Amino acid sequence: MRGVLAAAAVSLIITLLGTPIAIRILVRQGYGQLIRDDGPTTHQTKRGTPTMGGAVILIAVLCGYLAAHLVLRDKSPTAPALLVLFLMTGLGLVGFLDDYIKVSKQRSLGLRSKAKLAGQSVVALIFAAGALRFEDYRGFSPASTEISFIRDTGFQLGTIGFVVFAYLMIAATSNGVNLTDGLDGLATGASAMVAGAYVLIGIWQSGNSCLPNPAVPQPQCYETPAPLDLAIVAAAVMGACFGFLWWNASPAKIFMGDTGSLALGGVIAGLAITTRTELLLVLLGGLFVLITVSVIVQVGFFKLTRRRVFRMAPLQHHFELVGWQEVTIVIRFWIIAGLFVAGGLGVFYAEWVAGV
């Protein structure tokens, strides 16, 4: 628990104190957000707001994790946690390149779609391949080739099937967070809630590990390698998001950009894969799913009928055009995100209680 608290505290402090420094540097360099002309007209007032703030989140998470292991001198970093951090950092770098091209070239298009997809694919595939290696002393690898919900379901994908599944999951989650990042603080707050859920999941799995323990019912134990170290990663992400939210809340002084949204989506997907809760993420990250589905429905329905279901997609922009204030939308969507997270944790705990 000391490591979890240290990771959360250090990452929180770094984003709280470091973000204003980043804002001044980005303003001095002229790295301001470009606003699409086809977006809500109210967003034009945000033009020039510093972006690429996700770099602060990324640095804070890495420092928080390092600080936790300085506190836990007798505990070494583990392969599952390092793989998740690699996934977060790799996708963050892809997003950083995208953001940098946008602000340096002063255009709304950053990396070409093929280049961006290639970057995401390389990082995701390296993570997926690595997650099936680096077995611990019990013979458990960071990820399993079985599809998981609360734990492995027994449905085998095989090595190639798992790599494809992991890639699709990472792409879907990172792009889901990216689509959610359209209003001040919306994606940051929702990501903090999901990360907080994985703190609790990691701690619970650690306390109910399949290591020999007469107090733990063996049919209900968890085979997750290094769950407490994954909880440390999640705590660092949660702390970093809360600290960044102080400056990202409406009216935002800085945006996370693709640097932050792709990184946060990646770390959330990585935590789901390594904690064996892949399908549970659909519920825990329900807000991201809802917003992504709104885009799919809008595009698909328009192609079929040349008509729109929503005034604008993603979903949050529909409510802007309906007349809701931005702060109202963000708070109500946070409530929805919180309900999804609470529901997911309820299902997670209920499954354990039902099997005892």
Side-chain angles (χ1 to χ4, degrees):
M1 284 299 295
R2 287 182 300 137
V4 171
L5 294 174
V10 169
S11 61
L12 173 67
I13 291 170
I14 289 176
T15 48
L16 270 176
L17 302 181
T19 304
I21 298 173
I23 292 172
R24 289 195 292 271
I25 293 172
L26 292 168
V27 168
R28 191 179 306 126
Q29 296 295 325
Y31 291 163
Q33 179 71 40
L34 297 173
I35 305 298
R36 292 169 51 190
D37 294 330
D38 58 349
T41 56
T42 54
H43 286 204
Q44 295 303 319
T45 58
K46 301 180 182 184
R47 186 182 297 273
T49 302
T51 188
M52 295 193 293
V56 182
I57 296 176
L58 188 54
I59 292 170
V61 171
L62 296 175
C63 290
Y65 181 77
L66 176 61
H69 279 279
L70 291 176
V71 171
L72 303 172
R73 297 179 182 178
D74 57 334
K75 302 291 185 181
S76 300
T78 62
L82 293 176
L83 280 168
V84 172
L85 290 173
F86 162 78
L87 181 61
M88 180 182 189
T89 304
L91 292 180
L93 289 174
V94 173
F96 180 83
L97 287 173
D98 189 51
D99 287 334
Y100 181 77
I101 292 172
K102 289 176 184 175
V103 297
S104 62
K105 302 292 186 181
Q106 288 296 296
R107 68 187 194 197
S108 58
L109 176 65
L111 282 173
R112 300 295 179 184
S113 58
K114 289 183 179 179
K116 189 174 182 179
L117 179 61
Q120 291 176 290
S121 300
V122 169
V123 174
L125 292 175
I126 291 175
F127 166 82
L132 296 179
R133 301 175 61 84
F134 307 112
E135 294 180 349
D136 64 11
Y137 66 94
R138 297 172 296 170
F140 292 156
S141 59
S144 167
T145 56
E146 297 180 22
I147 289 181
S148 61
F149 179 46
I150 307 299
R151 61 188 79 243
D152 285 341
T153 61
F155 186 87
Q156 277 285 351
L157 292 171
T159 301
I160 295 176
F162 165 77
V163 171
V164 173
F165 176 73
Y167 164 73
L168 293 175
M169 185 175 173
I170 292 165
T173 309
S174 58
N175 288 315
V177 177
N178 186 252
L179 290 170
T180 305
D181 185 33
L183 299 181
D184 296 353
L186 178 56
T188 310
S191 297
M193 294 182 205
V194 177
Y198 275 108
V199 174
L200 298 177
I201 288 172
I203 292 172
W204 184 260
Q205 288 181 337
S206 177
N208 295 278
S209 170
C210 284
L211 291 171
N213 184 349
V216 178
Q218 288 305 301
Q220 289 304 107
C221 68
Y222 300 95
E223 296 181 346
T224 307
L228 196 57
D229 209 26
L230 293 171
I232 289 173
V233 173
V237 174
M238 179 184 68
C241 285
F242 277 127
F244 186 76
L245 185 59
W246 184 271
W247 305 101
N248 184 230
S250 183
K253 302 295 188 296
I254 187 171
F255 299 138
M256 70 167 71
D258 282 11
T259 308
S261 60
L262 294 185
L264 288 174
V267 74
I268 289 170
L271 287 169
I273 291 169
T274 51
T275 57
R276 312 292 207 268
T277 55
E278 294 156 353
L279 298 183
L280 185 65
L281 181 58
V282 177
L283 187 54
L284 291 172
L287 179 65
F288 304 135
V289 174
L290 193 64
I291 287 174
T292 302
V293 168
S294 74
V295 174
I296 295 171
V297 169
Q298 181 85 327
V299 173
F301 193 78
F302 183 79
K303 287 184 176 179
L304 290 173
T305 67
R306 312 309 295 178
R307 298 173 62 186
R308 292 179 172 84
V309 177
F310 308 105
R311 294 194 179 186
M312 182 177 289
L315 188 60
Q316 62 268 31
H317 298 321
H318 166 79
F319 289 104
E320 281 190 283
L321 297 184
V322 167
W324 290 15
Q325 294 296 313
E326 180 173 356
V327 173
T328 301
I329 298 169
V330 170
I331 292 175
R332 288 177 177 172
F333 274 41
W334 279 349
I335 293 171
I336 294 171
L339 291 172
F340 274 121
V341 167
L345 288 174
V347 170
F348 178 83
Y349 181 66
E351 186 270 350
W352 189 85
V353 171
V356 173

